[in-house]
Amino acid sequence: MRLIFAKDYEDMSCEAAKIVSGQLYLKPQSVLGLATGSTPIGLYDRLVQVHQTVGLDFSGVTTFNLDEYVGLSSENPESYHYFMKEHLFSRVNLRPDHCFVPNGMAEDLEEEGRRYDALIEQAGGIDLQVLGIGRNAHIGFNEPDIKFEAMTHKVRLDDETIRANARFFAREEDVPRYAISMGIRNIMLARRVLLLASGPEKAEAVYAAACGNVSPKAPASILQLHRDATIIADAAAAARLPEAWREHRSYHF
Ligand code: GLP
């Protein structure tokens, strides 16, 4: 695992944009795994900037988002699909038919999970998976006690996650209780993983991801076993990591 210690949110987003842009320059037909939430917004803004200023080309890129709320359509402003259209899909030259998000309106969510996994496989697998992290160390919507072998499936959200995500909804009661999410196995199958973390409320989760026991109790801890995982944490999110590591700009172990 590699850790990059960023000063703040801006610095974290810049570092992440360099890695994603570098991936696309090297492989213009890349398959990206994408995340939602507040954390990657700065990354998406910078990718749009690189697209506009130096022509970073998304025309050959395929994207797969990690997750979607059950019961929200892509036209619903609170859905993750809508979020992606607003923050990235509509702002770069991605082909709309190359942008995939699990369908939270599917009647049979198990079938939708299988369909989504098959699409990822047909696209050749994910080259670079972008992740945020929940306060309880969830990745995607893989909440604590998830089975590490899970592929895309229906999940019940933790109360803590519902509270944390309520800020995007008019009322906490409006937050869907279920989601459809890529599983840990989908994430582990990605060739590269890039996890972003910002702010003091993520410090425990980052510690669990990088230094804790590898356990389903902290889903992100599985990334310690990934062949090419990078965490970019800003100073507040990295605060619990060993000081000797934080003296460097980046640290491998
Ligand atoms: C949600 C998403 C995760 C995201 C997490 C953290 O639960 N399913 O993919 O990483 O929230 O969100 P934020 O970046 O807003 O803190």
Side-chain angles (χ1 to χ4, degrees), residues 36-39 66-67 80 132-133 138 140-141 161 165 167-168 202:
T36 46
S38 311
T39 311
L66 281 165
D67 46 15
Y80 281 166
I133 188 166
H138 75 234
F141 266 134
T161 302
N165 290 0
R167 66 188 194 282
F168 295 112
K202 300 295 173 66

Side-chain angles (χ1 to χ4, degrees), residues 144-215:
D145 295 323
I146 188 75
K147 287 190 174 62
F148 280 158
E149 63 273 24
M151 297 291 280
T152 305
H153 65 305
K154 179 182 173 184
V155 287
R156 192 183 199 298
L157 306 188
D158 269 14
D159 292 344
E160 192 185 347
T161 302
I162 291 169
R163 276 196 300 276
N165 290 0
R167 66 188 194 282
F168 295 112
F169 292 80
R171 297 168 313 162
E172 190 173 313
E173 303 88 272
D174 298 339
V175 184
R177 270 40 186 169
Y178 291 91
I180 176 163
S181 176
M182 277 191 207
I184 294 290
R185 193 167 156 73
N186 296 94
I187 294 168
M188 290 301 279
L189 285 170
R191 293 178 190 96
R192 298 169 79 192
V193 172
L194 179 63
L195 184 146
L196 310 182
S198 170
E201 63 285 356
K202 300 295 173 66
E204 276 301 321
V206 168
Y207 177 84
C211 303
N213 291 332
V214 176
S215 155

Side-chain angles (χ1 to χ4, degrees), residues 15 33 78 111 127 146 214 224 229:
E15 281 302 319
E78 281 144 353
E111 179 52 36
D127 292 303
I146 188 75
V214 176
Q224 292 173 37

Side-chain angles (χ1 to χ4, degrees), residues 16 21 43 55 61 79 99 134 159 165 168 179 189 221-222:
S21 309
L43 161 65
V61 175
S79 72
C99 299
D159 292 344
N165 290 0
F168 295 112
L189 285 170
S221 65
I222 190 75

Side-chain angles (χ1 to χ4, degrees), residues 53-80:
T53 53
V54 290
L56 181 64
D57 184 16
F58 288 80
S59 63
V61 175
T62 303
T63 67
F64 287 94
N65 262 79
L66 281 165
D67 46 15
E68 180 59 281
Y69 288 112
V70 167
L72 301 192
S73 81
S74 61
E75 301 312 314
N76 187 321
E78 281 144 353
S79 72
Y80 281 166

